[in-house]
Amino acid sequence: MEHSDSYKHLNGRQRKLAGAYFSNDSRGVKDRRKSPFDPEDELNLISESDSEGAMHPQPGIRAEMGNVLLLLFLYVLQGIPLGLAGSIPLILQSKSVTYKDQAFFSFVFWPFSLKLFWAPLVDALYFTRFGRRKSWLVPTQYLLGLFMLYLSARVDSLLQSEGGPNVVALTAVFFMLAFLAATQDIAVDGWALTMLSRENVGYASTCNSVGQTAGYFLGNVLFLALESPDFCNKYIRMVPKETGIVTLPDFLFFWGVVFMVSTTLVAILKRENQPGRGRRSEEDTQGVMETYRLLLSITKMPAVFTFCVLLLTAKVGFSAADAVTGLKLVEAGVPKEQLALLAVPMVPLQILLPLVISKYTAGPRPLDVFYKAFPFRLIIGLLFALLVWWTPSVKHDGGFPVYYFAIVLLSYAVHQVALYSMYVACMAFHAKVSDPLIGGTYMTLLNTVTNLGGNWPSTVALWMVDPLTWKECRGAPGQSCGSAEEAGLCVKEGGACVTTLDGYYVESAVCVVIGVVWWVWLGKKMKKLQEQSPSAWKCRVNQ
């Protein structure tokens, strides 16, 4: 799942769910647009069905309610592994892993930003008898189920191994889950265009948004709440227990079984429209190479290349605030399930914001909104650092007072206003400049670059927290805390490593300075791109 700017768990969503408190707007959850080549598929579908539509009346939504519910269910399944992946950094943080480990795990959130690179293969290679989309959907969902069943037996040992959590193994497994979910997304997006009639194909995007958001909510917010002993004992149980209502192995096992059973039923019971025989496979294979050549030709255009560079660097100034703040709050003792539950009151705001902001981005200069919101988001980053600094002083024996969470919620709401202002403005400009002849490929390329512009700064920001942090050994003269080995010697000699300068604050200040420089220098260049003539954005494929 931003959104691809959007889904945003506490560690930072391609467009993510509201529960992604202080989360990067391009990580974890998927881009809620169609897969790279769906707009063209939709146009082909409509043109091919024109003659049929004249002879056969199109069914109403009630006649296709079964297909709509199936799409909704498939998108819910897609959100489950993404939500689980978003919860792991919070669990790791509660186990005091290093921020370098968090940075390494952040690669789990990259596949949805990179799916453009293998989407043409998914669209073109398939078994005709089994079905174009089922050829990918069924095996990917079986693999998702198998990975979940495997994890259900191993995840406790991976999280509680000797020497701390096995971050490398966790990253490898959850990266595969995210990769498979992204591949399933491509297949389901494409299937939606043929599963629904021309009259009802618009419901596909609704199923996408609602289903994936619901799945992410189940896998992230609901899981974190039900897994927390404190939350369950306080709000659900009559008799306190040492564990939550569900455990991570139980949750993984349940959804692994759901994936296996539902995939089997889809494979056996659901048929899809058979593609034309003959040379269809050959034409699709040729289309793969044509698509890659088209992507290359688009990126070579001077206006597009400049815009891509700007997109890849624009979010550096926000990376510390977006990627690290939530983890710092958990480190300071804020319950991860309480932060996750902030998703609930944010949902109405996240629905209304794009509707309101789109009124200001509908004109000829949508990036003006992006430019104006930029400094406010930088200021919010400094306020987040102040919030992290203030948090330990608010904590008491019973936890945190209600007014603290009210302030956290308000700060998150203000952050969402700035984030969505920039996101909607950027998407409006993508739609404005994309060549309509190749709109699907063009838009997806720009959206992919936008997502990557949020992924890599977040990973770097997490990676740099530890090197920028200064600690000293107190209580053991002659010892230091410059490395894990030195810190171990300090503790062994009876001392304790005390943080004298938190790298998060250093990083927050540096990021804001970089952001101001970008806004003053490159921000104006981005605004000037709106003055380019339409021909500057037209792709000349044959040249």
Side-chain angles (χ1 to χ4, degrees):
M1 276 149 307
E2 125 197 345
H3 80 295
S4 172
D5 270 9
S6 136
Y7 9 7
K8 253 25 133 104
H9 51 81
L10 288 163
N11 54 307
R13 95 290 152 290
Q14 277 177 290
R15 181 183 179 187
K16 290 182 293 288
L17 186 66
Y21 177 76
F22 299 124
S23 61
N24 184 326
D25 53 348
S26 62
R27 195 171 141 195
V29 186
K30 61 163 272 191
D31 180 345
R32 288 182 184 148
R33 293 165 293 273
K34 306 307 292 177
S35 64
F37 313 101
D38 291 334
E40 295 179 2
D41 287 346
E42 184 173 350
L43 291 175
N44 293 336
L45 174 65
I46 292 174
S47 62
E48 290 170 1
S49 62
D50 279 343
S51 59
E52 296 179 5
M55 296 181 292
H56 303 285
Q58 295 294 339
I61 185 60
R62 290 186 178 181
E64 293 194 287
M65 187 57 67
N67 288 337
V68 170
L69 292 176
L70 175 59
L71 281 177
L72 183 64
F73 178 71
L74 292 175
Y75 282 121
V76 169
L77 289 183
Q78 180 188 121
I80 297 296
L82 300 180
L84 282 171
S87 69
I88 295 300
L90 304 180
I91 296 174
L92 291 175
Q93 194 67 13
S94 66
K95 296 181 180 297
S96 302
V97 301
T98 67
Y99 282 92
K100 285 187 177 181
D101 289 334
Q102 293 281 13
F104 189 76
F105 189 83
S106 71
F107 285 105
V108 167
F109 304 100
W110 285 54
F112 265 92
S113 296
L114 299 172
K115 64 180 182 179
L116 168 68
F117 298 108
W118 69 90
L121 298 175
V122 176
D123 197 54
L125 305 178
Y126 56 91
F127 297 102
T128 303
R129 290 188 177 181
F130 192 51
R132 183 175 188 176
R133 306 304 176 183
K134 286 170 63 178
S135 295
W136 289 91
L137 176 72
V138 171
T140 53
Q141 289 199 169
Y142 270 135
L143 287 173
L144 279 165
L146 290 173
F147 268 102
M148 286 186 171
L149 293 175
Y150 167 78
L151 263 179
S152 69
R154 291 292 312 279
V155 69
D156 277 345
S157 62
L158 294 177
L159 287 170
Q160 301 170 8
S161 60
E162 185 177 352
N166 189 337
V167 177
V168 174
L170 286 168
T171 302
V173 176
F174 277 95
F175 183 90
M176 283 305 302
L177 284 176
F179 174 80
L180 291 170
T183 305
Q184 187 252 27
D185 174 60
I186 299 168
V188 175
D189 281 348
W191 197 4
L193 297 176
T194 55
M195 185 184 297
L196 300 179
S197 66
R198 177 180 62 174
E199 181 186 46
N200 296 321
V201 74
Y203 285 99
S205 60
T206 303
C207 294
N208 185 327
S209 178
V210 175
Q212 201 250 347
T213 300
Y216 191 94
F217 184 90
L218 291 173
N220 186 277
V221 180
L222 185 64
F223 163 70
L224 287 173
L226 297 182
E227 185 264 349
S228 167
D230 293 337
F231 180 87
C232 293
N233 292 337
K234 185 175 182 180
Y235 297 105
I236 301 177
R237 288 190 178 122
M238 298 296 292
V239 179
K241 294 184 179 180
E242 295 182 355
T243 60
I245 292 177
V246 300
T247 63
L248 183 54
D250 293 340
F251 197 82
L252 285 164
F253 182 82
F254 172 80
W255 284 107
V257 172
V258 171
F259 266 91
M260 300 298 288
V261 173
S262 61
T263 303
T264 301
L265 293 176
V266 169
I268 297 174
L269 301 179
K270 182 61 180 177
R271 295 182 180 181
E272 64 173 290
N273 297 335
Q274 293 294 330
R277 299 181 181 274
R279 299 181 58 189
R280 181 63 181 269
S281 178
E282 178 183 352
E283 291 171 356
D284 283 339
T285 303
Q286 292 173 349
V288 172
M289 301 309 299
E290 292 172 0
T291 299
Y292 287 126
R293 284 195 292 267
L294 179 60
L295 291 172
L296 183 61
S297 65
I298 294 173
T299 55
K300 287 182 177 180
M301 297 161 57
V304 175
F305 182 80
T306 301
F307 187 48
C308 288
V309 171
L310 294 173
L311 290 175
L312 287 172
T313 55
K315 296 177 184 176
V316 173
F318 319 127
S319 56
D322 290 351
V324 187
T325 300
L327 298 177
K328 278 295 178 181
L329 291 177
V330 174
E331 182 182 328
V334 181
K336 57 184 181 297
E337 65 277 4
Q338 295 287 351
L339 290 179
L341 286 172
L342 292 176
V344 178
M346 284 294 102
V347 170
L349 181 65
Q350 292 190 325
I351 293 174
L352 292 174
L353 278 176
L355 300 176
V356 175
I357 297 169
S358 61
K359 296 180 180 179
Y360 301 94
T361 60
R365 299 181 62 86
L367 291 182
D368 287 355
V369 175
F370 182 98
Y371 184 79
K372 292 176 181 177
F374 197 96
F376 289 100
R377 194 167 168 188
L378 291 175
I379 294 173
I380 292 170
L382 292 176
L383 295 177
F384 281 180
L386 182 62
L387 178 65
V388 172
W389 173 81
W390 177 60
T391 295
S393 64
V394 182
K395 186 179 181 182
H396 52 72
D397 293 339
F400 291 86
V402 175
Y403 71 82
Y404 172 79
F405 289 106
I407 292 174
V408 170
L409 184 63
L410 178 62
S411 64
Y412 182 31
V414 174
H415 174 261
Q416 290 293 289
V417 173
L419 185 152
Y420 272 77
S421 296
M422 296 178 63
Y423 169 75
V424 174
C426 207
M427 294 301 104
F429 187 70
H430 291 180
K432 178 177 179 290
V433 301
S434 294
D435 191 335
L437 295 178
I438 50 173
T441 304
Y442 207 129
M443 278 280 288
T444 302
L445 173 63
L446 295 180
N447 294 337
T448 297
V449 174
T450 301
N451 295 336
L452 288 175
N455 284 130
W456 78 263
S458 294
T459 298
V460 173
L462 289 166
W463 192 275
M464 291 301 297
V465 172
D466 288 334
L468 293 174
T469 297
W470 290 82
K471 295 182 178 182
E472 65 178 25
C473 181
R474 294 180 182 176
Q479 300 298 326
S480 63
C481 298
S483 64
E485 292 77 11
E486 292 175 343
L489 288 174
C490 172
V491 175
K492 187 176 181 180
E493 294 294 327
C497 288
V498 178
T499 300
T500 56
L501 179 62
D502 194 324
Y504 167 69
Y505 301 115
V506 177
E507 196 172 82
S508 295
V510 171
C511 285
V512 169
V513 171
I514 294 174
V516 170
V517 172
W518 190 97
W519 183 63
V520 172
W521 180 40
L522 296 178
K524 293 179 179 179
K525 292 187 177 182
M526 178 174 276
K527 287 180 64 178
K528 288 183 179 179
L529 286 176
Q530 299 175 115
E531 301 170 3
Q532 294 273 2
S533 64
S535 61
W537 304 94
K538 299 291 183 183
C539 184
R540 298 168 178 83
V541 182
N542 296 325
Q543 292 186 4

